[in-house]
Amino acid sequence: MGKQGRRRMGSHALFLIAFFLCKFLAVAILDPLDFLALQSIRKSLHDLPGSNFFASWDFTSDPCNFAGVYCDSDKVIALNLGDPRAGSPGLTGRIDPAIGKLSALAELSIVPGRIYGSLPQSISQLKDLRFLAISRNFISGDIPATLGQLRSLKTLDLSYNQLTGEIPRSIGTLPELTNVILCHNHLSGSVPPFLSQVLTRVDLKHNALTGSLAPDSLPPSLQSLSLAWNKLTGPVDRLLSRLDQLNYLDLSLNQFTGPIPSQLFSFPITNLQLERNLFTGSVQPADQVTISTVDLSHNRLWGQISPMFSTVQNLYLNNNRFTGQVPASFVDRLLSGSIQILYLQHNYLTGIEIKPTAEIPVSSSLCLQYNCMVPPVQTLCPLKAGNEKTRPTAQCNEWKG
């Protein structure tokens, strides 16, 4: 064999040696601190029966190829723990504090499962973290106030857990925050003011929050707000008047007081839930309401029903103190099937211009009972409306007076 052939063979052998050496040493490509952190995280978490998420986590190979691990160069930048497919049993165990050693981590999520224990304080060391979502698990204890150090955080989702204590005011100071989802926990105390001018969603429903909301506690950028099933109090008219980008609003089952601002009904809202509060006053939208569902039931609203509500598909005005005649425009739209639900029971209404022989479409529901009139048509009302058709005359006279 000539000298040139031997040189070619030697080069080929060196290439193969280098290739297999790199393959063998692939594990060393990852930053050693990240490697050790992943080992600690793996030791503290386990697959629930039926899950095999950790099957690929073999530390003799490159961790950047593990399920749910995403790297940039030698650092872990995203960690999505658990099989993301719907119906996955998820993981169990605790979140190891070593997670704070993944210094370049920008995204951390854990699928629904049975993760328990508290949220490690060390998460606040992840200065690049933009997305934190650990929902539908059993995380308990307080939300660490040190999360306010995550100045790049955009999404915070800790919903459907067992969290207690207050929402740290430091979270409200995060400048890049766009989504705050802390619903279905056991949080108490007041709602902190949120300073982010790019905030679009706040969901704090099903907690035990108390206190009132300052007029400037939420930014005008907000598009979705849910505070239902809490114990919040005080007026919100000045706050709501500023939130003209809202497309979803649910303040139901609280103790909010004061008037409902008329401009709210001109916002791009598709679903408006204000039921079961202590709202008072007359409700007079300036224009025809295009919101498909409006629920103002179980409040203390009074005055005549505005004809501007006749364009609402599902309208709940029951259990208030409305008086006078039902506008004729309601009857027209009801008989045409444009109104699907019209609940007016338990008010002080005195009449509606509808013929006793009128046929209400099967797809529509009308309830008029327990007002200051005999319902002119027989309709099926919800069971909780009771059996009494008409309010006692003494009550009607007293309300007139």
Side-chain angles (χ1 to χ4, degrees):
M1 184 182 290
K3 189 181 292 185
Q4 191 173 356
R6 285 197 300 273
R7 191 181 295 121
R8 193 175 292 130
M9 279 188 66
S11 299
H12 184 65
L14 283 171
F15 172 79
L16 288 174
I17 290 169
F19 175 79
F20 284 113
L21 189 61
C22 284
K23 195 170 180 63
F24 179 74
L25 294 175
V27 70
I29 293 173
L30 187 67
D31 181 282
L33 287 177
D34 283 28
F35 182 81
L36 292 171
L38 287 177
Q39 281 191 319
S40 297
I41 291 164
R42 173 64 187 93
K43 286 175 185 173
S44 64
L45 295 173
H46 311 280
D47 282 304
L48 283 168
S51 172
N52 62 349
F53 171 75
F54 283 122
S56 66
W57 283 48
D58 176 3
F59 283 93
T60 62
S61 62
D62 182 3
C64 292
N65 293 326
F66 291 178
V69 177
Y70 302 88
C71 302
D72 183 12
S73 185
D74 65 338
K75 304 291 288 183
V76 176
I77 59 168
L79 195 57
N80 307 135
L81 297 172
D83 188 339
R85 290 177 296 185
S88 165
L91 308 175
T92 186
R94 294 175 177 268
I95 304 171
D96 195 279
I99 203 154
K101 300 293 185 183
L102 299 173
S103 59
L105 199 66
E107 180 178 320
L108 171 60
S109 66
I110 302 179
V111 302
R114 301 190 69 83
I115 307 294
Y116 55 88
S118 59
L119 208 60
Q121 291 273 354
S122 60
I123 287 179
S124 61
Q125 298 168 19
L126 305 172
K127 302 305 180 187
D128 294 331
L129 198 65
R130 295 192 298 272
F131 184 88
L132 175 58
I134 307 172
S135 65
R136 296 180 186 274
N137 277 280
F138 292 84
I139 303 293
S140 58
D142 293 353
I143 299 173
T146 50
L147 291 187
Q149 298 172 20
L150 303 176
R151 308 307 284 175
S152 298
L153 195 66
K154 294 179 180 295
T155 292
L156 175 63
D157 183 356
L158 302 175
S159 57
Y160 293 89
N161 279 292
Q162 307 290 324
L163 293 165
T164 53
E166 299 191 1
I167 302 171
R169 291 182 70 85
S170 59
I171 287 176
T173 68
L174 295 174
E176 303 293 327
L177 210 54
T178 56
N179 299 288
V180 182
I181 309 167
L182 302 175
C183 59
H184 291 269
N185 278 287
H186 306 293
L187 298 169
S188 56
S190 59
V191 178
F194 288 94
L195 305 183
S196 168
Q197 294 303 302
V198 292
L199 190 65
T200 57
R201 181 183 178 189
V202 172
D203 189 347
L204 307 178
K205 66 176 174 284
H206 283 270
N207 278 290
L209 300 170
T210 55
S212 58
L213 302 174
D216 58 352
S217 59
L218 295 168
S221 57
L222 205 62
Q223 296 175 18
S224 177
L225 175 61
S226 182
L227 301 174
W229 291 88
N230 279 289
K231 300 172 184 178
L232 297 164
T233 56
V236 287
D237 53 317
R238 289 173 61 197
L239 170 64
L240 295 179
S241 298
R242 297 173 53 253
L243 307 181
D244 59 0
Q245 301 300 308
L246 281 176
N247 56 48
Y248 180 85
L249 178 61
D250 187 355
L251 304 183
S252 58
L253 289 116
N254 279 284
Q255 297 164 33
F256 289 120
T257 57
I260 297 170
S262 58
Q263 56 265 56
L264 183 66
F265 299 101
S266 64
F267 293 169
I269 298 174
T270 55
N271 195 317
L272 178 60
Q273 306 283 337
L274 301 180
E275 69 270 21
R276 296 185 182 274
N277 278 283
L278 302 172
F279 288 118
T280 55
S282 176
V283 187
Q284 298 296 327
D287 297 299
Q288 289 293 153
V289 180
T290 57
I291 305 170
S292 58
T293 296
V294 174
D295 194 340
L296 308 182
S297 64
H298 294 272
N299 278 289
R300 297 176 180 179
L301 303 169
W302 47 261
Q304 299 209 345
I305 294 174
S306 170
M308 297 301 176
F309 282 117
S310 65
T311 42
V312 177
Q313 283 184 343
N314 305 297
L315 182 63
Y316 303 84
L317 299 179
N318 53 289
N319 295 79
N320 277 288
R321 298 170 181 177
F322 289 112
T323 55
Q325 289 264 330
V326 179
S329 54
F330 277 87
V331 178
D332 295 338
R333 293 187 61 81
L334 185 70
L335 296 179
S336 70
S338 299
I339 295 178
Q340 294 175 1
I341 294 175
L342 181 57
Y343 280 1
L344 303 175
Q345 68 269 23
H346 288 258
N347 279 289
Y348 293 83
L349 299 169
T350 51
I352 181 171
E353 291 186 17
I354 187 170
K355 294 177 181 177
T357 56
E359 290 192 17
I360 297 170
V362 178
S363 59
S364 300
S365 298
L366 170 67
C367 187
L368 292 168
Q369 70 188 56
Y370 212 67
N371 276 287
C372 296
M373 62 172 167
V374 177
V377 286
Q378 294 296 316
T379 56
L380 284 174
C381 286
L383 287 174
K384 56 188 175 185
N387 297 319
E388 295 181 79
K389 296 293 182 188
T390 307
R391 186 179 285 276
T393 306
Q395 289 185 17
C396 293
N397 290 336
E398 184 182 340
W399 189 245
K400 277 183 197 173

